[in-house]
Amino acid sequence: MHKYEEALKILSDISLNLRTERLAVNDAFNRVLAEDLYTDFPFPDCKKSAVDGYALVMWDKKEYTIKGESVPGDLKSAELHEGECIFVMTGGIVPDNADAVVRVEDVFEENDHILVNRQPEKGSNINLAGEEFLQNAFFGGKGSLLDNLSYPALCYSGKKDVNVYKKPKIGVFVTGDEILEPGDDYKKGHVFNTNRYILQSLLNYLPADIEYVGCFDDNEEEIAKVLEKSNEYDILVSSGGVSMGKYDFVKKILHEYDYEIIINKTAIKPGSPLMVARNEDCTIFGMPGYPAAFATNLFLYFLPFVRKSCGIKNFENNVIKGKLGTSMRSRINALYFNRAVVKIEDGEPVAYDPGSQKTSHFLNFFNVNGLVMMDENVGTLEKGSIVNILPIRGL
């Protein structure tokens, strides 16, 4: 049995053969950079106006002669002399010898002249060439996910294509004779296939190809055939069949067939019966069947490993400090991850017990957005206690 940190280190130390491909920037959203990025030209690439106004060469008078205009994208700009100006739109090119840009609301225009209220300071309202980034400057790191902010920045850079990591292929299957699909008629004593959709909904945010292999009865021969196809995937994950029951065939097969067992049970609650095995280049995660235990293992172990397999540099979970808004209970000799509803109050995360921590319960995950780490030696923690919180959504 492995402690939480030990299991994390084992997974972190697995050597992966990450492959790369070159994609057009248009196709690179939500992919992971496999190279560092450097600018191809300075930003801005010339002097540009920060406002709608008049670029001018200053002199000792407040009246200036208008010599033309400059709009964004127009490479032409008038050559200015002392006492002259041109109208410039925001983002328009400013002549090299212009001293400043004065805002339209700060001048009075009549015919081909303007009268400024007061002389501007030199350099005002001008964005200088290269003031954001010079040419060949680093702006994006290998291992970064091209998400809803970094991807538009990549487009802004003017790059045509980029080197990214290939998506890992992930196979998913569930076991159990009692599984119903959402939309099936209710049958007493049966359960609806939740774990498939927990997994798929979480992985939708990552650059991975997910294949649902299917739902299989508790039949050793059928499950063995699925596991034999592990070489078709980078990661294969199962739900159920890894505990101590008579029909827990995933565990039996992983032990008896040609698989390298690297994790066999962990000292956490819920979700202790986790198995991780290796077969050539595939990593196999045998997860418990209860949705609460399955989800906890996903957040703690599986998602960081998938992020690593996608090439994401900072793949580890983010843990924050907060305090308890209600008391929370755990048992001695196991690290508990209690589900919690976390609210930001006076700028500080405050975690509330959602009402049940039973592994067999799951509906309160509808509102849960964090897991509170309850150290193995603490037992009950009172309201106001400082705790570590693993955010799982919306924080």
Side-chain angles (χ1 to χ4, degrees):
M1 180 182 293
H2 296 282
K3 290 192 174 183
Y4 170 60
E5 296 292 345
E6 293 173 344
L8 278 182
K9 188 174 188 313
I10 289 170
L11 294 172
S12 179
D13 288 345
I14 292 176
S15 179
L16 299 176
N17 180 27
L18 301 183
R19 295 154 294 170
T20 64
E21 59 183 335
R22 196 148 198 97
L23 290 182
V25 166
N26 287 347
D27 300 321
F29 177 67
N30 206 39
R31 300 296 294 272
V32 179
L33 283 175
E35 62 175 330
D36 289 335
L37 297 179
Y38 296 84
T39 55
D40 295 324
F41 42 82
F43 288 80
D45 57 358
C46 58
K47 290 172 67 174
K48 293 186 176 182
S49 177
V51 297
D52 291 339
Y54 294 88
L56 47 80
V57 177
M58 295 171 59
W59 65 343
D60 57 359
K61 300 178 182 178
K62 292 186 177 183
E63 186 177 3
Y64 291 82
T65 302
I66 302 173
K67 301 296 291 185
E69 65 177 31
S70 173
V71 297
D74 184 0
L75 296 180
K76 298 177 182 178
S77 62
E79 181 180 348
L80 295 180
H81 299 93
E82 188 179 66
E84 295 179 341
C85 68
I86 64 168
F87 174 75
V88 287
M89 296 177 64
T90 302
I93 295 174
V94 173
D96 289 338
N97 68 330
D99 294 315
V101 175
V102 61
R103 302 181 306 170
V104 291
E105 55 264 43
D106 293 332
V107 305
F108 175 75
E109 179 183 348
E110 185 176 11
N111 298 325
D112 58 352
H113 291 79
I114 62 167
L115 184 67
V116 300
N117 296 331
R118 62 179 178 177
Q119 295 285 15
E121 294 183 5
K122 279 200 171 186
S124 61
N125 299 319
I126 294 177
N127 294 325
L128 299 176
E131 72 173 23
E132 181 180 4
F133 279 105
L134 297 173
Q135 187 173 359
N136 295 322
F138 171 84
F139 72 92
K142 178 180 179 180
S144 299
L145 179 66
L146 295 170
D147 59 14
N148 57 344
L149 289 178
S150 54
Y151 176 69
L154 171 64
C155 296
Y156 179 81
S157 76
K159 297 284 184 184
K160 292 182 179 179
D161 49 44
V162 67
N163 204 31
V164 298
Y165 289 107
K166 287 189 174 181
K167 296 179 180 181
K169 186 176 182 182
I170 302 176
V172 180
F173 72 96
V174 298
T175 65
D177 302 338
E178 75 284 14
I179 305 295
L180 300 173
E181 284 295 323
D184 288 348
D185 291 335
Y186 160 76
K187 293 181 181 179
K188 191 172 183 178
H190 286 61
V191 295
F192 288 94
N193 190 350
T194 303
N195 293 346
R196 169 189 177 182
Y197 299 101
I198 297 173
L199 188 63
Q200 289 182 339
S201 62
L202 291 173
L203 291 181
N204 278 340
Y205 297 96
L206 292 172
D209 288 328
I210 309 160
E211 180 179 316
Y212 181 59
V213 181
C215 178
F216 299 90
D217 292 341
D218 291 317
N219 179 288
E220 182 174 356
E221 184 176 340
E222 282 192 13
I223 295 172
K225 287 180 180 178
V226 177
L227 290 171
E228 285 172 3
K229 295 181 179 181
S230 60
N231 59 357
E232 299 177 9
Y233 304 97
D234 298 297
I235 302 170
L236 185 62
V237 54
S238 67
S239 162
V242 292
S243 192
M244 301 296 292
K246 178 180 178 181
Y247 298 104
D248 287 327
F249 292 120
V250 173
K251 180 175 182 177
K252 181 176 186 292
I253 294 164
L254 289 178
H255 274 293
E256 296 180 359
Y257 289 60
D258 189 22
Y259 299 97
E260 176 193 3
I261 307 296
I262 58 176
I263 294 176
N264 184 13
K265 203 170 183 181
T266 63
I268 68 162
K269 296 289 184 180
S272 174
L274 167 72
M275 290 193 68
V276 182
R278 292 276 289 169
N279 183 22
E280 296 179 355
D281 290 328
C282 181
T283 305
I284 303 163
F285 282 76
M287 300 284 209
Y290 272 139
F294 184 85
T296 301
N297 272 304
L298 284 185
F299 289 118
L300 298 184
Y301 301 117
F302 185 75
L303 286 179
F305 186 79
V306 173
R307 291 194 289 263
K308 175 184 173 180
S309 301
C310 293
I312 296 174
K313 183 178 180 180
N314 298 318
F315 59 85
E316 299 92 347
N317 284 326
N318 179 35
V319 177
I320 61 175
K321 287 285 185 183
K323 68 179 181 181
L324 293 182
T326 53
S327 63
M328 280 194 178
R329 297 175 58 190
S330 68
R331 295 179 183 176
I332 302 294
N333 298 325
L335 175 61
Y336 274 73
F337 287 86
N338 280 10
R339 66 198 82 162
V341 177
V342 184
K343 302 177 182 179
I344 304 300
E345 298 177 358
D346 297 325
E348 180 182 21
V350 181
Y352 293 86
D353 194 310
S356 172
Q357 299 293 343
K358 285 189 176 181
T359 308
S360 57
H361 295 180
F362 186 73
L363 278 178
N364 60 13
F365 264 93
F366 198 94
N367 296 306
V368 163
N369 59 348
L371 300 176
V372 171
M373 300 174 67
M374 304 281 289
D375 188 81
E376 58 186 347
N377 299 314
V378 301
T380 296
L381 287 177
E382 300 300 328
K383 176 182 177 179
S385 298
I386 302 301
V387 291
N388 289 324
I389 301 170
L390 173 65
I392 58 176
R393 69 177 182 191
L395 283 175

